[in-house]
């Protein structure tokens, strides 16, 4: 899948860019200027690279809400628990939490009904900050460049004396 996205946070911040998803296990969220950065997973680790500050952060994919989207088969049971599901006006909204860590935040998915397509999701962190991703110009079944899901870790440089 490839889509343009608009990201808005309850803190008032916003950003946009392109999302690439190749299941199982691969995602790249490429942010556009003025704050070039990307978030990428190609296996067990999720990396966030701030290209302006030249900083990288790593987190296990399993410790993030994105793990749900990267599974080969998406299941609404087991590792996740559905806390609410509403269907109205050709929209389906599904709210999820991690089964073993219900206080670790939540994920709300919004699908169009016909055809059934992911349109938006909102991540709520443990502090209640919400980040909403809205997808536009979505295309499915495209061959994505494997290079989108490769990243060479930058080694820290020793301080100069």
């Amino acid at each position: 899948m490839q889509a343009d996205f608009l990201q808005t946070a309850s803190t008032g911040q916003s950003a946009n860019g392109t999302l690439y998803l190749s299941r199982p296990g691969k995602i790249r969220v490429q942010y556009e200027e003025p704050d070039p950065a990307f978030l990428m997973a190609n296996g067990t680790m999720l990396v966030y690279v701030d290209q302006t500050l030249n900083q990288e952060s790593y987190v296990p994919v399993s410790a993030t809400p994105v793990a749900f989207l990267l599974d080969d088969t998406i299941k609404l049971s087991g590792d996740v628990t559905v806390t609410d599901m509403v269907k109205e006006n050709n929209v389906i909204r599904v709210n999820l939490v991690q089964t073993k860590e219900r206080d670790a935040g939540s994920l709300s998915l919004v699908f169009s009904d016909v055809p059934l397509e992911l349109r938006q999701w909102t991540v709520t962190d443990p502090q209640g900050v919400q980040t909403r991703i809205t997808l536009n110009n979505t295309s499915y079944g495209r061959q994505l460049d494997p290079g989108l899901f490769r990243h060479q870790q930058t080694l820290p440089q020793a301080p100069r004396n």
Side-chain angles (χ1 to χ4, degrees), residues 22-75:
S22 180
R23 290 187 15 233
K26 297 176 185 168
I27 190 169
R28 182 180 184 103
V29 179
Q30 182 70 51
Y31 293 92
E32 294 180 0
E33 298 286 348
D35 298 313
F38 66 88
L39 182 76
M40 188 196 74
N42 64 2
T44 58
M45 294 300 286
L46 183 75
V47 60
Y48 174 76
V49 178
D50 184 319
Q51 295 166 296
T52 302
L53 299 176
N54 199 28
Q55 293 180 337
E56 299 178 5
S57 303
Y58 292 82
V59 171
V61 170
S62 61
T64 70
V66 79
F68 170 79
L69 293 173
L70 297 180
D71 282 343
D72 188 25
T73 303
I74 294 179
K75 295 179 280 186

Side-chain angles (χ1 to χ4, degrees), residues 110-112 117-121 133-138 140:
V110 177
F111 298 89
S112 61
E117 290 183 350
L118 180 62
R119 291 299 191 192
Q120 182 182 86
W121 70 84
I133 305 285
T134 303
L135 303 177
N136 296 299
N137 302 320
T138 305
Y140 296 92

Side-chain angles (χ1 to χ4, degrees), residues 47-126:
V47 60
Y48 174 76
V49 178
D50 184 319
Q51 295 166 296
T52 302
L53 299 176
N54 199 28
Q55 293 180 337
E56 299 178 5
S57 303
Y58 292 82
V59 171
V61 170
S62 61
T64 70
V66 79
F68 170 79
L69 293 173
L70 297 180
D71 282 343
D72 188 25
T73 303
I74 294 179
K75 295 179 280 186
L76 299 177
S77 63
D79 292 340
V80 297
T81 298
V82 175
T83 59
D84 192 28
M85 186 167 138
V86 176
K87 180 181 177 191
E88 60 186 14
N89 300 327
N90 299 321
V91 172
I92 301 169
R93 181 179 308 274
V94 180
N95 296 326
L96 308 163
V97 295
Q98 292 178 343
T99 301
K100 293 182 180 177
E101 297 185 52
R102 295 176 77 88
D103 296 333
S106 64
L107 178 65
S108 176
L109 303 170
V110 177
F111 298 89
S112 61
D113 191 8
V114 180
L116 184 63
E117 290 183 350
L118 180 62
R119 291 299 191 192
Q120 182 182 86
W121 70 84
T122 302
V123 176
T124 304
D125 72 14

